[in-house]
């Protein structure tokens, strides 16, 4: 065992930890957990903890179900919402096969594999997500409309508001778990919040997003309300996105920065954007993985509907912000398609794979979109070479079905399972009769 593992074992005794939760995710991005006693942890570090992989979405067929969880000691944290009694801690795990080889169905391994491929070319991938979500007064019930906790709007400051109290408690818990928060504020929709996590390497960010979603739900439940990361919970209010700032570093040097270039953006940065744009349709099924995700992308506002890039253009899918133009470290690109309900491990893996493909093949960046893309006519967009993103999950599946990049980035097992699951979701959605249809047709037909 190394220093990290020794530190964890000492902390168990010093902090009176009686339960250790081992966290991992299934292919769809749902957090899974198994609790072990502290006495089992030394063996878990060296040999892993066995579990039945066939019980987890996308992991294994029944006849190859034995798998092991290997705790990542660097992710050890005490859970701060366990205020009374003995402490409970958590660690993220890598999923491996009985022979010690990685499980190709483990989303964390999928991201690690793509990060390793970028590292072979000298790059480290950093991400910085802006996570939006809604707070609701009522716990969801079938047939009952959700009610936001307030009627406040973008950046509004209301004394003693529930949202500001909520954000303060949530951020305190996040920072207690070692997750740094950069900004927080009320978003545009009633009851809608945004909390931005600080820049970190993509694997740490994905772990942090999974922790973030758990913390937000725990704090909401403790206050008698409900938090949802559903991309579009309301027809008439903005959807929730997870705009993510991306950059590549070569050692300590920002590979996206070039002094004197337009927007200080290097050729590497331009090729990376071009890769994301060329493969945007293919990766949409992962970055926007739910039927509901496409309701957000159709709406406009802060959500992109078309494949284009721009500088100071918030209708663009990819934006090159210029917050600190004199600082080389701050040069990055902002991808605005992702939503907070995606599997962050898979989403960052496919975004990185698309960007790296652009660098490897030196894709040329198309002309910048300077106009509000939503205000253009379809003919104008065609003349500018601006294509639409998939408008439904069905369209996204169709594009992904023949994507070599997606199959390579995800691996055959995850690629096949993920698309099968999405097809089943779309077929189930198609069979449902909506309230809209009943309201429209029952009175007149």
């Amino acid at each position: 065992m190394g220093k990290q593992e020794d530190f964890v074992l000492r902390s168990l005794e010093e902090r009176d930890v009686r339960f250790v939760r081992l966290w991992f995710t299934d292919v769809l991005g749902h957090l899974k957990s198994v609790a072990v006693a502290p006495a089992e942890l030394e063996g878990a570090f060296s040999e892993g903890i066995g579990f039945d992989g066939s019980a987890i979405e996308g992991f294994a067929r029944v006849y190859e179900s034995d798998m092991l969880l290997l705790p990542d000691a660097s992710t050890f944290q005490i859970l701060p919402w366990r205020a009374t009694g003995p402490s409970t801690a958590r660690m993220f795990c890598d999923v491996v096969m009985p022979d010690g080889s990685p499980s190709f169905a483990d989303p964390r391994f999928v991201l690690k594999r793509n990060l390793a491929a970028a590292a072979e070319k000298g790059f480290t991938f950093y991400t910085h997500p802006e996570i939006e979500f809604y707070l609701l007064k009522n716990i969801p019930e079938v047939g009952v409309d959700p009610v936001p906790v307030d009627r406040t709007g973008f950046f509004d400051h209301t004394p003693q508001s529930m949202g500001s109290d909520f954000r303060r408690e949530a951020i305190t818990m996040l920072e207690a778990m070692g997750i740094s928060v950069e900004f927080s504020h009320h978003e545009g929709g009633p009851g809608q919040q945004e909390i931005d996590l600080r820049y970190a390497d993509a694997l740490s960010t994905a772990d942090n997003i999974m922790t973030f979603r758990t913390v937000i739900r725990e704090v909401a439940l403790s206050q008698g309300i409900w938090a949802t990361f559903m991309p579009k919970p309301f027809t008439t209010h903005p959807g929730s996105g997870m705009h993510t700032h991306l950059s590549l570093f070569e050692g300590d040097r920002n590979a996206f920065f070039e002094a004197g270039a337009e927007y200080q953006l290097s050729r590497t940065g331009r090729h990376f954007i071009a890769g994301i744009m060329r493969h945007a349709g293919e990766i949409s099924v992962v970055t926007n993985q739910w039927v509901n995700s496409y309701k957000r992308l159709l709406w406009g506002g802060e959500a992109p509907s078309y494949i284009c890039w721009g500088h100071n253009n918030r209708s663009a899918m990819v934006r090159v912000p210029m917050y600190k133009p004199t600082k080389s470290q701050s040069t990055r690109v902002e991808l605005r398609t992702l939503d907070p309900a995606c599997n962050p491990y898979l989403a960052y893996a496919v975004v990185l794979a698309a960007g790296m493909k652009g660098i490897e093949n030196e894709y040329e960046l198309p002309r910048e979109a300077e106009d509000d893309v939503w205000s253009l006519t379809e003919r104008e967009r065609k003349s500018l070479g601006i294509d639409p993103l998939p408008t439904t999950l069905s369209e996204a599946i169709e594009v992904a079905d023949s994507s070599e990049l997606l199959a390579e980035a995800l691996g055959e097992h995850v690629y096949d399972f993920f698309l099968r699951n999405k097809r089943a979701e779309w077929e189930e959605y198609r069979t449902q009769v909506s309230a809209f249809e009943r309201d429209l047709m029952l009175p007149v037909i």
Side-chain angles (χ1 to χ4, degrees):
M1 288 192 299
K3 291 181 179 178
Q4 288 278 9
E5 288 80 4
D6 287 338
F7 168 77
V8 170
L9 294 176
R10 287 198 311 273
S11 298
L12 297 177
E13 203 168 322
E14 294 169 1
R15 304 288 293 275
D16 190 26
V17 175
R18 303 286 181 86
F19 303 95
V20 181
R21 293 199 172 275
L22 305 182
W23 285 6
F24 63 106
T25 65
D26 66 14
V27 173
L28 297 179
H30 298 308
L31 186 65
K32 302 295 178 180
S33 172
V34 58
V36 298
E40 303 298 318
L41 208 53
E42 188 169 351
F45 282 136
S46 58
E47 300 175 1
I49 295 288
F51 76 104
D52 182 0
S54 66
I56 308 298
E57 281 274 26
F59 262 61
R61 294 179 289 271
V62 174
Y63 55 83
E64 54 180 33
S65 58
D66 292 335
M67 290 185 169
L68 296 168
L69 295 173
L70 282 180
D72 181 343
S74 68
T75 66
F76 176 83
Q77 289 290 345
I78 304 294
L79 298 180
W81 57 84
R82 307 295 182 190
T84 58
S87 298
T88 300
R90 74 92 163 100
M91 278 182 286
F92 282 97
C93 295
D94 294 312
V95 183
V96 300
M97 306 304 290
D99 63 1
S101 62
S103 166
F104 294 109
D106 179 14
R108 206 166 185 262
F109 173 70
V110 170
L111 177 55
K112 280 185 169 184
R113 184 166 50 77
N114 283 274
L115 292 172
E120 287 179 3
K121 295 176 172 59
F123 295 115
T124 306
F125 185 41
Y126 287 91
T127 53
H128 156 56
E130 303 173 352
I131 310 173
E132 297 172 351
F133 57 95
Y134 273 91
L135 297 178
L136 309 175
K137 287 182 180 179
N138 52 327
I139 294 175
E141 295 180 59
V142 175
V144 178
D145 290 340
V147 180
V149 296
D150 61 44
R151 290 292 168 188
T152 311
F154 188 66
F155 266 49
D156 282 354
H157 178 79
T158 306
Q160 301 299 317
S161 73
M162 182 176 287
S164 59
D165 288 346
F166 175 91
R167 293 193 300 273
R168 183 171 62 249
E169 185 175 345
I171 290 167
T172 300
M173 279 198 183
L174 289 167
E175 292 184 337
M177 295 189 72
I179 298 175
S180 298
V181 172
E182 195 167 51
F183 299 109
S184 70
H185 58 84
H186 198 289
E187 252 300 329
Q192 191 180 29
Q193 317 294 319
E194 178 178 310
I195 298 178
D196 302 353
L197 305 186
R198 196 171 292 279
Y199 246 89
D201 66 275
L203 181 63
S204 296
T205 303
D207 287 343
N208 288 346
I209 291 169
M210 297 306 301
T211 304
F212 178 95
R213 296 200 296 220
T214 302
V215 168
I216 294 300
R217 292 189 183 107
E218 289 283 354
V219 174
L221 287 170
S222 73
Q223 297 185 3
I225 57 178
W226 187 264
T228 178
F229 296 94
M230 183 176 177
K232 193 75 167 68
F234 298 99
T235 301
T236 55
H237 302 313
S240 292
M242 190 172 71
H243 301 166
T244 300
H245 297 250
L246 317 167
S247 62
L248 292 178
F249 273 70
E250 294 177 295
D252 294 329
R253 188 184 73 84
N254 185 350
F256 284 2
F257 174 77
E258 182 182 324
E262 186 179 26
Y263 310 136
Q264 317 294 327
L265 186 65
S266 68
R267 285 189 60 79
T268 297
R270 296 176 72 84
H271 292 324
F272 190 87
I273 296 173
I276 291 175
M277 289 179 61
R278 182 173 297 194
H279 300 287
E282 299 166 57
I283 67 176
S284 285
V285 75
V286 178
T287 60
N288 306 89
Q289 71 178 62
W290 305 102
V291 162
N292 182 254
S293 298
Y294 296 86
K295 302 290 178 72
R296 166 182 166 256
L297 295 181
L298 281 176
W299 196 80
E302 292 285 307
S305 304
Y306 299 93
I307 302 170
C308 59
W309 76 281
H311 163 47
N312 206 19
N313 186 348
R314 293 182 183 272
S315 70
M317 183 190 82
V318 179
R319 195 171 72 89
V320 182
M322 288 279 283
Y323 294 124
K324 298 175 183 176
T326 59
K327 291 191 174 181
S328 64
Q329 303 293 78
S330 71
T331 301
R332 72 254 197 207
V333 301
E334 179 188 13
L335 180 60
R336 302 170 66 80
T337 44
L338 284 83
D339 64 48
C342 71
N343 181 332
Y345 300 102
L346 300 186
Y348 287 158
V350 299
V351 168
L352 175 60
M356 290 302 299
K357 191 68 73 174
I359 293 172
E360 293 161 21
N361 296 324
E362 297 188 344
Y363 293 167
E364 284 302 316
L365 189 61
R367 175 181 164 188
E368 175 185 356
E370 298 177 348
D371 301 309
D372 178 352
V373 180
W374 297 302
S375 67
L376 300 175
T377 65
E378 186 175 349
R379 179 176 294 179
E380 288 171 330
R381 284 191 289 265
K382 280 186 177 179
S383 69
L384 293 171
I386 297 175
D387 294 322
L389 285 161
T391 59
T392 65
L393 181 61
S394 177
E395 286 185 22
I397 294 167
E398 187 176 348
V399 177
D401 204 29
S402 58
S403 171
E404 292 182 9
L405 177 131
L406 206 58
E408 181 182 331
L410 296 179
E412 181 182 349
H413 182 103
V414 172
Y415 176 72
D416 288 343
F417 171 82
F418 198 88
L419 289 189
R420 283 202 313 273
N421 181 278
K422 294 298 105 181
R423 290 189 193 99
E425 181 184 343
W426 176 252
E427 288 306 314
E428 186 176 0
Y429 172 74
R430 287 178 60 199
T431 66
Q432 300 302 308
V433 178
S434 68
F436 169 81
E437 293 167 275
R438 285 192 292 269
D439 292 344
L440 180 70
M441 302 184 74
L442 284 177
V444 296
I445 294 177

